[in-house]
mmCIF file of all heavy atoms in Angstrom:
data_model
loop_
_atom_site.group_PDB
_atom_site.id
_atom_site.type_symbol
_atom_site.label_atom_id
_atom_site.label_comp_id
_atom_site.label_asym_id
_atom_site.label_seq_id
_atom_site.Cartn_x
_atom_site.Cartn_y
_atom_site.Cartn_z
ATOM 1 N N ILE A 1 -17.502 67.087 26.187
ATOM 2 C CA ILE A 1 -17.138 68.476 26.423
ATOM 3 C C ILE A 1 -18.426 69.278 26.536
ATOM 4 O O ILE A 1 -19.253 69.270 25.622
ATOM 5 C CB ILE A 1 -16.254 69.017 25.293
ATOM 6 C CG1 ILE A 1 -14.992 68.165 25.180
ATOM 7 C CG2 ILE A 1 -15.899 70.470 25.539
ATOM 8 C CD1 ILE A 1 -14.154 68.457 23.986
ATOM 9 N N ILE A 2 -18.585 69.969 27.653
ATOM 10 C CA ILE A 2 -19.781 70.789 27.864
ATOM 11 C C ILE A 2 -19.387 72.262 27.825
ATOM 12 O O ILE A 2 -18.217 72.606 27.988
ATOM 13 C CB ILE A 2 -20.478 70.436 29.194
ATOM 14 C CG1 ILE A 2 -19.530 70.611 30.377
ATOM 15 C CG2 ILE A 2 -21.015 69.028 29.154
ATOM 16 C CD1 ILE A 2 -20.201 70.432 31.720
ATOM 17 N N ASN A 3 -20.343 73.136 27.617
ATOM 18 C CA ASN A 3 -20.151 74.588 27.510
ATOM 19 C C ASN A 3 -19.169 74.952 26.395
ATOM 20 O O ASN A 3 -18.268 75.766 26.576
ATOM 21 C CB ASN A 3 -19.670 75.188 28.844
ATOM 22 C CG ASN A 3 -20.720 75.078 29.922
ATOM 23 O OD1 ASN A 3 -21.909 75.080 29.639
ATOM 24 N ND2 ASN A 3 -20.283 74.970 31.155
ATOM 25 N N CYS A 4 -19.352 74.375 25.220
ATOM 26 C CA CYS A 4 -18.449 74.651 24.097
ATOM 27 C C CYS A 4 -18.511 76.112 23.665
ATOM 28 O O CYS A 4 -17.522 76.653 23.164
ATOM 29 C CB CYS A 4 -18.811 73.766 22.913
ATOM 30 S SG CYS A 4 -18.365 72.053 23.160
ATOM 31 N N GLU A 5 -19.651 76.750 23.859
ATOM 32 C CA GLU A 5 -19.777 78.143 23.421
ATOM 33 C C GLU A 5 -18.962 79.093 24.284
ATOM 34 O O GLU A 5 -18.738 80.240 23.918
ATOM 35 C CB GLU A 5 -21.246 78.579 23.416
ATOM 36 C CG GLU A 5 -21.896 78.663 24.785
ATOM 37 C CD GLU A 5 -22.449 77.332 25.282
ATOM 38 O OE1 GLU A 5 -22.329 76.333 24.561
ATOM 39 O OE2 GLU A 5 -22.996 77.324 26.396
ATOM 40 N N LYS A 6 -18.459 78.622 25.434
ATOM 41 C CA LYS A 6 -17.683 79.476 26.333
ATOM 42 C C LYS A 6 -16.177 79.256 26.201
ATOM 43 O O LYS A 6 -15.397 79.828 26.961
ATOM 44 C CB LYS A 6 -18.115 79.240 27.778
ATOM 45 C CG LYS A 6 -19.552 79.653 28.028
ATOM 46 C CD LYS A 6 -19.953 79.438 29.450
ATOM 47 C CE LYS A 6 -21.415 79.803 29.649
ATOM 48 N NZ LYS A 6 -21.845 79.538 31.033
ATOM 49 N N ALA A 7 -15.742 78.447 25.237
ATOM 50 C CA ALA A 7 -14.306 78.255 24.995
ATOM 51 C C ALA A 7 -13.737 79.539 24.387
ATOM 52 O O ALA A 7 -14.428 80.289 23.704
ATOM 53 C CB ALA A 7 -14.073 77.078 24.063
ATOM 54 N N VAL A 8 -12.467 79.796 24.650
ATOM 55 C CA VAL A 8 -11.837 81.053 24.259
ATOM 56 C C VAL A 8 -10.917 80.831 23.066
ATOM 57 O O VAL A 8 -10.109 79.901 23.058
ATOM 58 C CB VAL A 8 -11.020 81.615 25.451
ATOM 59 C CG1 VAL A 8 -10.320 82.893 25.056
ATOM 60 C CG2 VAL A 8 -11.914 81.836 26.652
ATOM 61 N N LEU A 9 -11.050 81.687 22.052
ATOM 62 C CA LEU A 9 -10.125 81.714 20.927
ATOM 63 C C LEU A 9 -9.113 82.811 21.210
ATOM 64 O O LEU A 9 -9.481 83.951 21.474
ATOM 65 C CB LEU A 9 -10.857 82.019 19.620
ATOM 66 C CG LEU A 9 -11.869 80.988 19.153
ATOM 67 C CD1 LEU A 9 -12.613 81.515 17.938
ATOM 68 C CD2 LEU A 9 -11.178 79.705 18.817
ATOM 69 N N THR A 10 -7.826 82.492 21.160
ATOM 70 C CA THR A 10 -6.811 83.495 21.465
ATOM 71 C C THR A 10 -6.503 84.324 20.228
ATOM 72 O O THR A 10 -6.766 83.912 19.098
ATOM 73 C CB THR A 10 -5.518 82.834 21.965
ATOM 74 O OG1 THR A 10 -5.055 81.921 20.989
ATOM 75 C CG2 THR A 10 -5.758 82.113 23.268
ATOM 76 N N GLY A 11 -5.934 85.487 20.445
ATOM 77 C CA GLY A 11 -5.607 86.413 19.367
ATOM 78 C C GLY A 11 -6.521 87.617 19.422
ATOM 79 O O GLY A 11 -7.518 87.641 20.153
ATOM 80 N N THR A 12 -6.187 88.613 18.637
ATOM 81 C CA THR A 12 -7.032 89.798 18.612
ATOM 82 C C THR A 12 -8.321 89.493 17.864
ATOM 83 O O THR A 12 -8.384 88.575 17.046
ATOM 84 C CB THR A 12 -6.306 90.977 17.924
ATOM 85 O OG1 THR A 12 -6.032 90.617 16.570
ATOM 86 C CG2 THR A 12 -5.022 91.312 18.654
ATOM 87 N N ARG A 13 -9.323 90.269 18.132
ATOM 88 C CA ARG A 13 -10.625 90.059 17.522
ATOM 89 C C ARG A 13 -10.543 90.159 15.998
ATOM 90 O O ARG A 13 -11.157 89.374 15.274
ATOM 91 C CB ARG A 13 -11.607 91.088 18.084
ATOM 92 C CG ARG A 13 -13.017 90.937 17.608
ATOM 93 C CD ARG A 13 -13.911 91.987 18.272
ATOM 94 N NE ARG A 13 -15.247 91.953 17.777
ATOM 95 C CZ ARG A 13 -16.218 91.216 18.277
ATOM 96 N NH1 ARG A 13 -15.973 90.423 19.299
ATOM 97 N NH2 ARG A 13 -17.426 91.235 17.763
ATOM 98 N N GLU A 14 -9.757 91.120 15.501
ATOM 99 C CA GLU A 14 -9.632 91.319 14.059
ATOM 100 C C GLU A 14 -8.968 90.114 13.386
ATOM 101 O O GLU A 14 -9.376 89.686 12.312
ATOM 102 C CB GLU A 14 -8.832 92.586 13.765
ATOM 103 C CG GLU A 14 -9.538 93.871 14.167
ATOM 104 C CD GLU A 14 -9.401 94.179 15.660
ATOM 105 O OE1 GLU A 14 -8.459 93.659 16.298
ATOM 106 O OE2 GLU A 14 -10.241 94.923 16.177
ATOM 107 N N ASN A 15 -7.932 89.570 14.017
ATOM 108 C CA ASN A 15 -7.225 88.425 13.423
ATOM 109 C C ASN A 15 -8.094 87.180 13.391
ATOM 110 O O ASN A 15 -8.077 86.420 12.419
ATOM 111 C CB ASN A 15 -5.941 88.132 14.193
ATOM 112 C CG ASN A 15 -4.873 89.166 13.946
ATOM 113 O OD1 ASN A 15 -4.941 89.905 12.979
ATOM 114 N ND2 ASN A 15 -3.898 89.226 14.821
ATOM 115 N N VAL A 16 -8.861 86.944 14.461
ATOM 116 C CA VAL A 16 -9.729 85.763 14.511
ATOM 117 C C VAL A 16 -10.803 85.852 13.439
ATOM 118 O O VAL A 16 -11.046 84.900 12.687
ATOM 119 C CB VAL A 16 -10.358 85.619 15.914
ATOM 120 C CG1 VAL A 16 -11.416 84.535 15.918
ATOM 121 C CG2 VAL A 16 -9.287 85.308 16.942
ATOM 122 N N PHE A 17 -11.433 87.027 13.311
ATOM 123 C CA PHE A 17 -12.476 87.184 12.300
ATOM 124 C C PHE A 17 -11.895 87.134 10.893
ATOM 125 O O PHE A 17 -12.511 86.585 9.981
ATOM 126 C CB PHE A 17 -13.248 88.489 12.511
ATOM 127 C CG PHE A 17 -14.290 88.393 13.586
ATOM 128 C CD1 PHE A 17 -14.181 89.130 14.741
ATOM 129 C CD2 PHE A 17 -15.373 87.546 13.441
ATOM 130 C CE1 PHE A 17 -15.133 89.037 15.735
ATOM 131 C CE2 PHE A 17 -16.334 87.441 14.427
ATOM 132 C CZ PHE A 17 -16.218 88.193 15.577
ATOM 133 N N ALA A 18 -10.704 87.689 10.698
ATOM 134 C CA ALA A 18 -10.086 87.659 9.376
ATOM 135 C C ALA A 18 -9.778 86.232 8.947
ATOM 136 O O ALA A 18 -9.932 85.871 7.776
ATOM 137 C CB ALA A 18 -8.810 88.499 9.376
ATOM 138 N N LYS A 19 -9.352 85.396 9.893
ATOM 139 C CA LYS A 19 -9.039 84.007 9.578
ATOM 140 C C LYS A 19 -10.281 83.250 9.104
ATOM 141 O O LYS A 19 -10.255 82.550 8.092
ATOM 142 C CB LYS A 19 -8.463 83.333 10.818
ATOM 143 C CG LYS A 19 -8.144 81.875 10.647
ATOM 144 C CD LYS A 19 -7.623 81.293 11.936
ATOM 145 C CE LYS A 19 -7.471 79.799 11.837
ATOM 146 N NZ LYS A 19 -7.059 79.197 13.103
ATOM 147 N N TYR A 20 -11.405 83.433 9.810
ATOM 148 C CA TYR A 20 -12.609 82.702 9.437
ATOM 149 C C TYR A 20 -13.287 83.299 8.213
ATOM 150 O O TYR A 20 -13.920 82.597 7.443
ATOM 151 C CB TYR A 20 -13.557 82.603 10.626
ATOM 152 C CG TYR A 20 -13.027 81.614 11.630
ATOM 153 C CD1 TYR A 20 -12.392 82.040 12.790
ATOM 154 C CD2 TYR A 20 -13.101 80.260 11.396
ATOM 155 C CE1 TYR A 20 -11.868 81.126 13.688
ATOM 156 C CE2 TYR A 20 -12.585 79.343 12.277
ATOM 157 C CZ TYR A 20 -11.976 79.786 13.425
ATOM 158 O OH TYR A 20 -11.442 78.879 14.302
ATOM 159 N N LYS A 21 -13.149 84.601 7.988
ATOM 160 C CA LYS A 21 -13.667 85.208 6.759
ATOM 161 C C LYS A 21 -12.905 84.685 5.553
ATOM 162 O O LYS A 21 -13.475 84.442 4.493
ATOM 163 C CB LYS A 21 -13.554 86.733 6.824
ATOM 164 C CG LYS A 21 -14.542 87.389 7.724
ATOM 165 C CD LYS A 21 -15.829 87.594 7.007
ATOM 166 C CE LYS A 21 -16.726 88.445 7.878
ATOM 167 N NZ LYS A 21 -17.998 88.675 7.249
ATOM 168 N N ALA A 22 -11.576 84.515 5.703
ATOM 169 C CA ALA A 22 -10.771 84.011 4.593
ATOM 170 C C ALA A 22 -11.157 82.578 4.246
ATOM 171 O O ALA A 22 -11.133 82.185 3.087
ATOM 172 C CB ALA A 22 -9.293 84.089 4.949
ATOM 173 N N LYS A 23 -11.515 81.786 5.259
ATOM 174 C CA LYS A 23 -11.936 80.408 4.982
ATOM 175 C C LYS A 23 -13.270 80.361 4.256
ATOM 176 O O LYS A 23 -13.547 79.443 3.506
ATOM 177 C CB LYS A 23 -12.065 79.617 6.291
ATOM 178 C CG LYS A 23 -10.748 79.189 6.873
ATOM 179 C CD LYS A 23 -10.986 78.321 8.075
ATOM 180 C CE LYS A 23 -9.699 77.834 8.668
ATOM 181 N NZ LYS A 23 -9.922 76.993 9.852
ATOM 182 N N GLN A 24 -14.116 81.363 4.482
ATOM 183 C CA GLN A 24 -15.449 81.362 3.886
ATOM 184 C C GLN A 24 -15.488 82.047 2.522
ATOM 185 O O GLN A 24 -16.500 82.028 1.863
ATOM 186 C CB GLN A 24 -16.444 82.054 4.813
ATOM 187 C CG GLN A 24 -16.718 81.280 6.070
ATOM 188 C CD GLN A 24 -17.638 82.015 7.017
ATOM 189 O OE1 GLN A 24 -17.866 83.209 6.854
ATOM 190 N NE2 GLN A 24 -18.163 81.319 7.997
ATOM 191 N N SER A 25 -14.392 82.661 2.101
ATOM 192 C CA SER A 25 -14.405 83.386 0.837
ATOM 193 C C SER A 25 -14.581 82.406 -0.326
ATOM 194 O O SER A 25 -14.047 81.300 -0.298
ATOM 195 C CB SER A 25 -13.116 84.189 0.669
ATOM 196 O OG SER A 25 -12.019 83.319 0.537
ATOM 197 N N PRO A 26 -15.302 82.813 -1.362
ATOM 198 C CA PRO A 26 -15.587 81.903 -2.480
ATOM 199 C C PRO A 26 -14.414 81.783 -3.454
ATOM 200 O O PRO A 26 -14.399 82.397 -4.505
ATOM 201 C CB PRO A 26 -16.798 82.542 -3.145
ATOM 202 C CG PRO A 26 -16.665 83.982 -2.824
ATOM 203 C CD PRO A 26 -16.005 84.069 -1.481
ATOM 204 N N ARG A 27 -13.411 80.980 -3.101
ATOM 205 C CA ARG A 27 -12.281 80.754 -4.002
ATOM 206 C C ARG A 27 -12.630 79.659 -4.991
ATOM 207 O O ARG A 27 -12.857 79.907 -6.160
ATOM 208 C CB ARG A 27 -11.041 80.372 -3.207
ATOM 209 C CG ARG A 27 -10.504 81.526 -2.378
ATOM 210 C CD ARG A 27 -9.383 81.023 -1.553
ATOM 211 N NE ARG A 27 -9.970 80.129 -0.550
ATOM 212 C CZ ARG A 27 -9.431 79.835 0.592
ATOM 213 N NH1 ARG A 27 -8.271 80.312 0.903
ATOM 214 N NH2 ARG A 27 -10.018 79.044 1.448
ATOM 215 N N ASP A 28 -12.661 78.444 -4.503
ATOM 216 C CA ASP A 28 -12.991 77.293 -5.331
ATOM 217 C C ASP A 28 -14.172 76.611 -4.660
ATOM 218 O O ASP A 28 -14.035 76.061 -3.571
ATOM 219 C CB ASP A 28 -11.796 76.350 -5.429
ATOM 220 C CG ASP A 28 -12.046 75.200 -6.373
ATOM 221 O OD1 ASP A 28 -13.091 75.234 -7.066
ATOM 222 O OD2 ASP A 28 -11.238 74.285 -6.425
ATOM 223 N N VAL A 29 -15.310 76.659 -5.283
ATOM 224 C CA VAL A 29 -16.542 76.191 -4.659
ATOM 225 C C VAL A 29 -16.500 74.696 -4.375
ATOM 226 O O VAL A 29 -17.014 74.231 -3.368
ATOM 227 C CB VAL A 29 -17.759 76.538 -5.546
ATOM 228 C CG1 VAL A 29 -19.031 76.057 -4.922
ATOM 229 C CG2 VAL A 29 -17.820 78.034 -5.770
ATOM 230 N N THR A 30 -15.824 73.928 -5.211
ATOM 231 C CA THR A 30 -15.825 72.481 -5.017
ATOM 232 C C THR A 30 -14.891 72.041 -3.895
ATOM 233 O O THR A 30 -15.110 71.007 -3.286
ATOM 234 C CB THR A 30 -15.410 71.767 -6.312
ATOM 235 O OG1 THR A 30 -14.124 72.230 -6.707
ATOM 236 C CG2 THR A 30 -16.418 72.036 -7.414
ATOM 237 N N HIS A 31 -13.839 72.800 -3.596
ATOM 238 C CA HIS A 31 -12.872 72.415 -2.578
ATOM 239 C C HIS A 31 -12.845 73.379 -1.406
ATOM 240 O O HIS A 31 -11.846 73.502 -0.720
ATOM 241 C CB HIS A 31 -11.474 72.321 -3.198
ATOM 242 C CG HIS A 31 -11.367 71.259 -4.233
ATOM 243 N ND1 HIS A 31 -11.520 71.520 -5.575
ATOM 244 C CD2 HIS A 31 -11.162 69.930 -4.126
ATOM 245 C CE1 HIS A 31 -11.392 70.396 -6.249
ATOM 246 N NE2 HIS A 31 -11.179 69.413 -5.407
ATOM 247 N N LYS A 32 -13.919 74.082 -1.196
ATOM 248 C CA LYS A 32 -13.984 75.055 -0.120
ATOM 249 C C LYS A 32 -14.078 74.333 1.229
ATOM 250 O O LYS A 32 -14.845 73.380 1.364
ATOM 251 C CB LYS A 32 -15.219 75.923 -0.327
ATOM 252 C CG LYS A 32 -15.291 77.125 0.582
ATOM 253 C CD LYS A 32 -16.395 78.025 0.090
ATOM 254 C CE LYS A 32 -17.250 78.439 1.231
ATOM 255 N NZ LYS A 32 -18.306 79.316 0.866
ATOM 256 N N PRO A 33 -13.296 74.752 2.234
ATOM 257 C CA PRO A 33 -13.380 74.078 3.532
ATOM 258 C C PRO A 33 -14.704 74.366 4.218
ATOM 259 O O PRO A 33 -15.295 75.435 4.041
ATOM 260 C CB PRO A 33 -12.215 74.668 4.322
ATOM 261 C CG PRO A 33 -11.970 75.980 3.697
ATOM 262 C CD PRO A 33 -12.306 75.820 2.249
ATOM 263 N N ILE A 34 -15.161 73.422 4.999
ATOM 264 C CA ILE A 34 -16.418 73.585 5.727
ATOM 265 C C ILE A 34 -16.131 74.303 7.030
ATOM 266 O O ILE A 34 -15.318 73.852 7.827
ATOM 267 C CB ILE A 34 -17.067 72.222 6.001
ATOM 268 C CG1 ILE A 34 -17.390 71.534 4.676
ATOM 269 C CG2 ILE A 34 -18.312 72.378 6.837
ATOM 270 C CD1 ILE A 34 -17.850 70.112 4.835
ATOM 271 N N VAL A 35 -16.776 75.447 7.225
ATOM 272 C CA VAL A 35 -16.610 76.215 8.449
ATOM 273 C C VAL A 35 -17.966 76.258 9.142
ATOM 274 O O VAL A 35 -18.925 76.804 8.604
ATOM 275 C CB VAL A 35 -16.110 77.648 8.154
ATOM 276 C CG1 VAL A 35 -15.957 78.422 9.445
ATOM 277 C CG2 VAL A 35 -14.801 77.589 7.400
ATOM 278 N N TYR A 36 -18.044 75.663 10.315
ATOM 279 C CA TYR A 36 -19.290 75.616 11.050
ATOM 280 C C TYR A 36 -19.454 76.857 11.904
ATOM 281 O O TYR A 36 -18.482 77.403 12.423
ATOM 282 C CB TYR A 36 -19.334 74.383 11.946
ATOM 283 C CG TYR A 36 -19.421 73.098 11.178
ATOM 284 C CD1 TYR A 36 -18.307 72.312 10.966
ATOM 285 C CD2 TYR A 36 -20.625 72.687 10.636
ATOM 286 C CE1 TYR A 36 -18.388 71.137 10.258
ATOM 287 C CE2 TYR A 36 -20.722 71.512 9.923
ATOM 288 C CZ TYR A 36 -19.603 70.741 9.736
ATOM 289 O OH TYR A 36 -19.688 69.595 9.031
ATOM 290 N N LYS A 37 -20.681 77.311 12.058
ATOM 291 C CA LYS A 37 -20.971 78.455 12.911
ATOM 292 C C LYS A 37 -21.439 78.019 14.292
ATOM 293 O O LYS A 37 -21.445 78.807 15.215
ATOM 294 C CB LYS A 37 -22.028 79.339 12.254
ATOM 295 C CG LYS A 37 -21.525 79.975 10.967
ATOM 296 C CD LYS A 37 -22.551 80.888 10.371
ATOM 297 C CE LYS A 37 -22.024 81.473 9.077
ATOM 298 N NZ LYS A 37 -23.003 82.337 8.435
ATOM 299 N N MET A 38 -21.835 76.761 14.416
ATOM 300 C CA MET A 38 -22.261 76.262 15.718
ATOM 301 C C MET A 38 -21.018 76.000 16.577
ATOM 302 O O MET A 38 -20.060 75.372 16.100
ATOM 303 C CB MET A 38 -23.071 74.984 15.556
ATOM 304 C CG MET A 38 -24.348 75.177 14.773
ATOM 305 S SD MET A 38 -25.322 73.675 14.646
ATOM 306 C CE MET A 38 -24.221 72.616 13.756
ATOM 307 N N PRO A 39 -21.006 76.455 17.829
ATOM 308 C CA PRO A 39 -19.797 76.308 18.641
ATOM 309 C C PRO A 39 -19.416 74.864 18.927
ATOM 310 O O PRO A 39 -18.230 74.542 18.995
ATOM 311 C CB PRO A 39 -20.122 77.062 19.931
ATOM 312 C CG PRO A 39 -21.560 77.343 19.908
ATOM 313 C CD PRO A 39 -22.038 77.210 18.508
ATOM 314 N N ASP A 40 -20.388 73.976 19.067
ATOM 315 C CA ASP A 40 -20.046 72.587 19.354
ATOM 316 C C ASP A 40 -19.363 71.926 18.154
ATOM 317 O O ASP A 40 -18.411 71.160 18.315
ATOM 318 C CB ASP A 40 -21.281 71.799 19.780
ATOM 319 C CG ASP A 40 -22.399 71.849 18.762
ATOM 320 O OD1 ASP A 40 -22.440 72.815 17.981
ATOM 321 O OD2 ASP A 40 -23.225 70.926 18.746
ATOM 322 N N MET A 41 -19.783 72.259 16.945
ATOM 323 C CA MET A 41 -19.143 71.696 15.766
ATOM 324 C C MET A 41 -17.768 72.313 15.526
ATOM 325 O O MET A 41 -16.858 71.644 15.039
ATOM 326 C CB MET A 41 -20.025 71.888 14.530
ATOM 327 C CG MET A 41 -21.277 71.042 14.546
ATOM 328 S SD MET A 41 -20.937 69.274 14.714
ATOM 329 C CE MET A 41 -20.120 68.934 13.185
ATOM 330 N N LEU A 42 -17.594 73.592 15.890
ATOM 331 C CA LEU A 42 -16.290 74.230 15.765
ATOM 332 C C LEU A 42 -15.270 73.544 16.664
ATOM 333 O O LEU A 42 -14.153 73.258 16.250
ATOM 334 C CB LEU A 42 -16.402 75.713 16.113
ATOM 335 C CG LEU A 42 -15.123 76.528 16.016
ATOM 336 C CD1 LEU A 42 -14.705 76.645 14.564
ATOM 337 C CD2 LEU A 42 -15.302 77.889 16.629
ATOM 338 N N VAL A 43 -15.675 73.219 17.887
ATOM 339 C CA VAL A 43 -14.787 72.517 18.820
ATOM 340 C C VAL A 43 -14.515 71.108 18.314
ATOM 341 O O VAL A 43 -13.370 70.635 18.337
ATOM 342 C CB VAL A 43 -15.406 72.498 20.234
ATOM 343 C CG1 VAL A 43 -14.609 71.616 21.169
ATOM 344 C CG2 VAL A 43 -15.485 73.906 20.798
ATOM 345 N N ARG A 44 -15.528 70.444 17.830
ATOM 346 C CA ARG A 44 -15.368 69.070 17.361
ATOM 347 C C ARG A 44 -14.435 68.982 16.150
ATOM 348 O O ARG A 44 -13.591 68.087 16.063
ATOM 349 C CB ARG A 44 -16.739 68.485 17.041
ATOM 350 C CG ARG A 44 -16.729 67.010 16.852
ATOM 351 C CD ARG A 44 -18.142 66.487 16.763
ATOM 352 N NE ARG A 44 -18.110 65.210 16.091
ATOM 353 C CZ ARG A 44 -18.272 64.045 16.701
ATOM 354 N NH1 ARG A 44 -18.505 64.022 17.971
ATOM 355 N NH2 ARG A 44 -18.206 62.925 16.030
#
């Protein structure tokens, strides 16, 4: 897959950011999901 940074996430901008902010919130440090900021890892 090439041009991963140009893939489109659907939904409003606020909802997309709220979803990823919620994943990054410090709930349980040992079981926190890994959220990548690099577009190729996000697609993968």
